[in-house]
Amino acid sequence: MNSESAPLYLVTPAGPAAATLGESPLWSVEEQALYYVDIAERQVLRLDPSSGELRRWAVASEPGCIALIEGGGLAVAQRQGLFRLDLASGDCSLLAP
């Protein structure tokens, strides 16, 4: 395929580039929001693309990946184990070492 026949796409940022080392993107269909981690800054982030609002939660060590938990919150894998992040309070509790 040559460059003349390749389709062109316009790519626009969903929000601010707010991570030093952003990884583990996770889309919440229910919230219509993007969660991801900043490993270097030890943070979990949530971007609402419709409003541009960006929320951050600090965690104790480098987060590796995240998953939604049924009933609310996120599972966050960190060096010391798997933690539940309460999005309302910001508290992390150990689920498994």
Side-chain angles (χ1 to χ4, degrees), residues 35 46 55-57 72-74 84-91:
Y35 287 93
R46 178 189 181 274
R55 291 190 60 197
R56 300 171 187 259
W57 295 267
L74 292 176
R84 179 187 180 113
L85 173 61
D86 182 314
L87 299 173
S89 69
D91 293 335

Side-chain angles (χ1 to χ4, degrees):
M1 180 183 283
N2 63 42
S3 63
E4 293 178 22
S5 63
L8 299 176
Y9 298 96
L10 177 62
V11 178
T12 56
T20 302
L21 181 56
E23 293 286 345
S24 191
L26 173 65
W27 181 253
S28 170
V29 174
E30 182 178 316
E31 298 174 42
Q32 294 292 289
L34 178 68
Y35 287 93
Y36 58 103
V37 301
D38 186 337
I39 297 170
E41 301 299 326
R42 298 178 178 182
Q43 295 179 340
V44 175
L45 299 95
R46 178 189 181 274
L47 174 65
D48 179 340
S50 65
S51 69
E53 178 187 13
L54 182 67
R55 291 190 60 197
R56 300 171 187 259
W57 295 267
V59 292
S61 67
E62 297 87 347
C65 60
I66 53 177
L68 295 168
I69 295 177
E70 189 173 323
L74 292 176
V76 182
Q78 297 178 64
R79 288 182 187 268
Q80 303 91 342
L82 183 64
F83 291 81
R84 179 187 180 113
L85 173 61
D86 182 314
L87 299 173
S89 69
D91 293 335
C92 270
S93 56
L94 185 65
L95 294 172

